[in-house]
Amino acid sequence: MTSGIRTPRTPRRRLGALTATVAVVAATALAVLSATPAQAASPLRSLAEGKGKYFGTALTDGDLNISGEMAIANTQFDMVTPGNEMKWDTTEPSNGSYNFGPGDQIVNWAQAHNARVRGHNLVWHSQLPNWVSSLPLTQVQGVMESHITTEATHYKGKVYAWDVINEPFNEDGSLRQDVFYKAMGSGYLADAIRTAHTADPNAKLYINDYNIEGENAKSNALYTLAQQMLSQGVPLGGIGLEAHFIEGQLPSSMLANMQRFADLGLDVAITELDDRIQLPTSSATLQQQGNDYATVVNDCLAVTRCVGVSQWGVDDGHSWIPGTFPGYGAATMYDSNYQPKPAYNATVNALSAGGTTTGGTTTTGGTTSAGGTTGGTGGNCHVTYTKNEWAGGFTADVVVANTGTTSVNGWTLGFSFPGDQKVTNGWNATVTQSGNTVKATNVSYDSTIAPGGTVDFGFQGTWTSNDTSPGSFTLNGTACS
Ligand code: XIL
C-alpha cells in the first residue's frame, strides 16, 4: 500500500475545512483573475530565486526520458526530489546490498541543470522492503543506522537536505507503530537524525509528513517533538509539509503553523505540493486550484524560513494522484498536454508580486525570529544574519547576497562572535571556529553565487552568557555592506 492515502474525512471536518477556506478564496481571487499571460513569465525558478526561495519538482528516472516533461523541468525548477529512487526498497533491496544507480540519475540531472536535491527519504514505513519489517526487533536499530550511514555517505555533498524521517505520525498525533517504533520506541527519531548528521554534517535534516500543513493534533505532536529535539541538541534542521491538498480545502491555519515551526529556528518547506480535483474538472475548480496554489506560495513567501516550494511531479499526465486517489486528478500546474493551467498563472503572479529581494533585510508577515543584523560598508556582498535563541542554544540563518555584477565562484564568509557562542554543526556550508573567529565555506552544490543571487546557510550552536550576533562580515576576505 502506498503512503499518502488519507483516511476519508468525516463530513463534519470537511465542512469545517470548506468554511475556513472561504476567506482565502475571497482574498486571492482578484490576483488570479488578473493573471499575466503565461508565455511572458520568467521561469518559476528565477522568480522564486528573486525572493530568496527555490521552486522544485519531483522527478522519477522514468520522467527523465519523457521529453515533454523534461522541457518543463529543465527550465522551470531549481530543486528536485527523486520520486522513488532514494527510498529504501530501491536503495537497499536486500540486507547490505545497495543500489544507488537510480538515485544517481536524478542527482546527475540536478547537477546538469544547476538544481539542488532534496534527498527523499531515509526512514519510512512505506516502500520499505519486507526483509526490514520482518527482522528480529533487536536487529532493527543496527540495520537502520547502517542504511542511513551508507546512503547519506553516498550522497554526501550532493544533497541539500534529507527527509530523514518520512511520515512518522498517525492522524491523532501518536507515532506510527512501524518496525522502527516497535524496536526502539520514539527514540528512533533522534537516533536517525543524529546518524544522518554524522554521515553528512552539511545536509539540512528534515522530518516530512502530510496533514501537518495546518494546526491540528498531528502538527501539534510534531511541534512538541521538534521542541524536544532542539532542546536535546538533536540536529533537526527543518520540517517538510507535503501539501497533498484537495482543491478548495486548504487549512486556514497554514501560515501560522509554518511560522510557529520557523520560530523554533527550523526551516520549513512545502515538499510535495499538489491539489487534486474531483474529475471532471470545471473552469471553477481549476480557478479554485489557482487560488490554492497562490495561497501556498504566498504563505511560503511570508515566512522567512520557508525555503521553497516543490510540486510533486511536473504535469497532470504523470502525477501519482489518479492512480492513488481514484476519481481525482488534474492536481498540478500543467495539464496532460504540458500546457500551463490557472494554477501556474497564479503561482507566477504570487512569485512576481512586490518586486524581488536580493538578500536584504528579512521581514515576514508573521512573527520574525529575533536578531536580523547586517554588516558594515564594503564590497559586493550583503549579509543577513537571523538568530533564534533559547537558554544555552541558538540557530543562525545566514543569507549571503552577491550585490556585484560578476559571479562569485567559491566563497568563504568570515565573521567574529561578539559573545561566547560555539558552533556545533552547520548546513549548506562547512563552518569552522577558532576562538571567536568563524569561517563558513561553500559546499559543492552552492559554490556559485550569481550576480543578484543569494546563498543561504546556517548553523546550530551553544552559548553561555552572551549571544550577541556578529555585526560585520567578509566574503573571500572583502568586507560586505
Ligand atoms: C509516491 C510516489 O509518487 C509514487 O510513485 C509511489 O508509488 C508512492 O509514493 N508521500 C511521500 C512520497 O512522501 O514519497 C509519495 O510518493 C507520495 C506521498
Side-chain angles (χ1 to χ4, degrees), residues 63 138 149 170 201 211 242 327 331 349 358 401 435:
D63 294 325
T138 51
T149 300
N170 294 312
N211 287 355
E242 290 187 11
N349 283 348
T358 50

PDB file of all heavy atoms in Angstrom, residues 63 138 149 170 201 211 242 327 331 349 358 401 435:
ATOM      1  N   ASP A  63      10.608   9.743 -15.679  1.00  0.00           N
ATOM      2  CA  ASP A  63      10.339  11.104 -16.164  1.00  0.00           C
ATOM      3  C   ASP A  63      11.504  11.646 -16.990  1.00  0.00           C
ATOM      4  O   ASP A  63      11.294  12.426 -17.931  1.00  0.00           O
ATOM      5  CB  ASP A  63      10.100  12.065 -14.981  1.00  0.00           C
ATOM      6  CG  ASP A  63       8.842  11.732 -14.199  1.00  0.00           C
ATOM      7  OD1 ASP A  63       7.858  11.293 -14.813  1.00  0.00           O
ATOM      8  OD2 ASP A  63       8.854  11.907 -12.961  1.00  0.00           O
ATOM      9  N   THR A 138      15.537  -6.853  17.711  1.00  0.00           N
ATOM     10  CA  THR A 138      16.861  -6.496  18.252  1.00  0.00           C
ATOM     11  C   THR A 138      17.841  -6.081  17.151  1.00  0.00           C
ATOM     12  O   THR A 138      18.861  -5.483  17.427  1.00  0.00           O
ATOM     13  CB  THR A 138      17.488  -7.692  19.000  1.00  0.00           C
ATOM     14  OG1 THR A 138      17.430  -8.821  18.120  1.00  0.00           O
ATOM     15  CG2 THR A 138      16.739  -7.988  20.284  1.00  0.00           C
ATOM     16  N   THR A 149      23.587   5.571   7.308  1.00  0.00           N
ATOM     17  CA  THR A 149      25.002   5.936   7.146  1.00  0.00           C
ATOM     18  C   THR A 149      25.459   5.683   5.711  1.00  0.00           C
ATOM     19  O   THR A 149      26.108   6.534   5.086  1.00  0.00           O
ATOM     20  CB  THR A 149      25.869   5.131   8.136  1.00  0.00           C
ATOM     21  OG1 THR A 149      25.427   5.440   9.455  1.00  0.00           O
ATOM     22  CG2 THR A 149      27.345   5.474   7.988  1.00  0.00           C
ATOM     23  N   ASN A 170       0.657   9.218  13.158  1.00  0.00           N
ATOM     24  CA  ASN A 170      -0.747   8.948  12.858  1.00  0.00           C
ATOM     25  C   ASN A 170      -1.525  10.268  12.913  1.00  0.00           C
ATOM     26  O   ASN A 170      -1.030  11.274  13.436  1.00  0.00           O
ATOM     27  CB  ASN A 170      -1.331   7.980  13.896  1.00  0.00           C
ATOM     28  CG  ASN A 170      -0.695   6.605  13.809  1.00  0.00           C
ATOM     29  OD1 ASN A 170      -0.575   6.039  12.720  1.00  0.00           O
ATOM     30  ND2 ASN A 170      -0.283   6.064  14.949  1.00  0.00           N
ATOM     31  N   PRO A 201      27.267  16.038   7.618  1.00  0.00           N
ATOM     32  CA  PRO A 201      27.012  17.154   8.541  1.00  0.00           C
ATOM     33  C   PRO A 201      26.476  18.407   7.860  1.00  0.00           C
ATOM     34  O   PRO A 201      25.949  19.283   8.530  1.00  0.00           O
ATOM     35  CB  PRO A 201      28.388  17.444   9.149  1.00  0.00           C
ATOM     36  CG  PRO A 201      29.273  16.319   8.758  1.00  0.00           C
ATOM     37  CD  PRO A 201      28.686  15.665   7.557  1.00  0.00           C
ATOM     38  N   ASN A 211      -0.703  16.181   6.054  1.00  0.00           N
ATOM     39  CA  ASN A 211      -1.742  16.627   7.005  1.00  0.00           C
ATOM     40  C   ASN A 211      -1.146  17.295   8.241  1.00  0.00           C
ATOM     41  O   ASN A 211      -1.722  17.240   9.322  1.00  0.00           O
ATOM     42  CB  ASN A 211      -2.663  15.469   7.424  1.00  0.00           C
ATOM     43  CG  ASN A 211      -3.616  15.079   6.306  1.00  0.00           C
ATOM     44  OD1 ASN A 211      -3.655  15.731   5.269  1.00  0.00           O
ATOM     45  ND2 ASN A 211      -4.393  14.026   6.511  1.00  0.00           N
ATOM     46  N   GLU A 242       4.135  18.224   3.305  1.00  0.00           N
ATOM     47  CA  GLU A 242       3.951  17.612   1.985  1.00  0.00           C
ATOM     48  C   GLU A 242       2.976  18.418   1.120  1.00  0.00           C
ATOM     49  O   GLU A 242       3.200  18.628  -0.053  1.00  0.00           O
ATOM     50  CB  GLU A 242       3.472  16.165   2.136  1.00  0.00           C
ATOM     51  CG  GLU A 242       4.553  15.259   2.689  1.00  0.00           C
ATOM     52  CD  GLU A 242       4.179  13.792   2.699  1.00  0.00           C
ATOM     53  OE1 GLU A 242       3.161  13.393   2.084  1.00  0.00           O
ATOM     54  OE2 GLU A 242       4.929  13.016   3.337  1.00  0.00           O
ATOM     55  N   GLY A 327     -10.833   8.775  -9.088  1.00  0.00           N
ATOM     56  CA  GLY A 327     -11.849   9.823  -9.226  1.00  0.00           C
ATOM     57  C   GLY A 327     -11.246  11.215  -9.156  1.00  0.00           C
ATOM     58  O   GLY A 327     -11.911  12.198  -9.468  1.00  0.00           O
ATOM     59  N   ALA A 331      -3.974  17.507 -10.719  1.00  0.00           N
ATOM     60  CA  ALA A 331      -3.514  18.045  -9.435  1.00  0.00           C
ATOM     61  C   ALA A 331      -2.339  19.005  -9.540  1.00  0.00           C
ATOM     62  O   ALA A 331      -1.925  19.576  -8.539  1.00  0.00           O
ATOM     63  CB  ALA A 331      -3.140  16.889  -8.503  1.00  0.00           C
ATOM     64  N   ASN A 349       2.087  34.804 -10.624  1.00  0.00           N
ATOM     65  CA  ASN A 349       1.676  36.093 -10.065  1.00  0.00           C
ATOM     66  C   ASN A 349       2.100  36.240  -8.616  1.00  0.00           C
ATOM     67  O   ASN A 349       2.567  37.304  -8.200  1.00  0.00           O
ATOM     68  CB  ASN A 349       0.157  36.254 -10.183  1.00  0.00           C
ATOM     69  CG  ASN A 349      -0.246  36.607 -11.596  1.00  0.00           C
ATOM     70  OD1 ASN A 349       0.604  36.943 -12.418  1.00  0.00           O
ATOM     71  ND2 ASN A 349      -1.527  36.515 -11.886  1.00  0.00           N
ATOM     72  N   THR A 358      17.044  40.689  -2.862  1.00  0.00           N
ATOM     73  CA  THR A 358      18.314  40.008  -3.109  1.00  0.00           C
ATOM     74  C   THR A 358      19.073  39.903  -1.805  1.00  0.00           C
ATOM     75  O   THR A 358      20.181  40.358  -1.670  1.00  0.00           O
ATOM     76  CB  THR A 358      19.163  40.760  -4.141  1.00  0.00           C
ATOM     77  OG1 THR A 358      19.233  42.130  -3.737  1.00  0.00           O
ATOM     78  CG2 THR A 358      18.586  40.662  -5.518  1.00  0.00           C
ATOM     79  N   ALA A 401      24.166  37.658  -0.067  1.00  0.00           N
ATOM     80  CA  ALA A 401      23.755  38.120  -1.391  1.00  0.00           C
ATOM     81  C   ALA A 401      24.967  38.647  -2.147  1.00  0.00           C
ATOM     82  O   ALA A 401      25.808  39.356  -1.577  1.00  0.00           O
ATOM     83  CB  ALA A 401      22.707  39.229  -1.258  1.00  0.00           C
ATOM     84  N   GLY A 435      38.669  30.208  18.315  1.00  0.00           N
ATOM     85  CA  GLY A 435      38.396  31.326  19.216  1.00  0.00           C
ATOM     86  C   GLY A 435      37.037  31.906  18.867  1.00  0.00           C
ATOM     87  O   GLY A 435      36.066  31.170  18.737  1.00  0.00           O
TER      88      GLY A 435
END
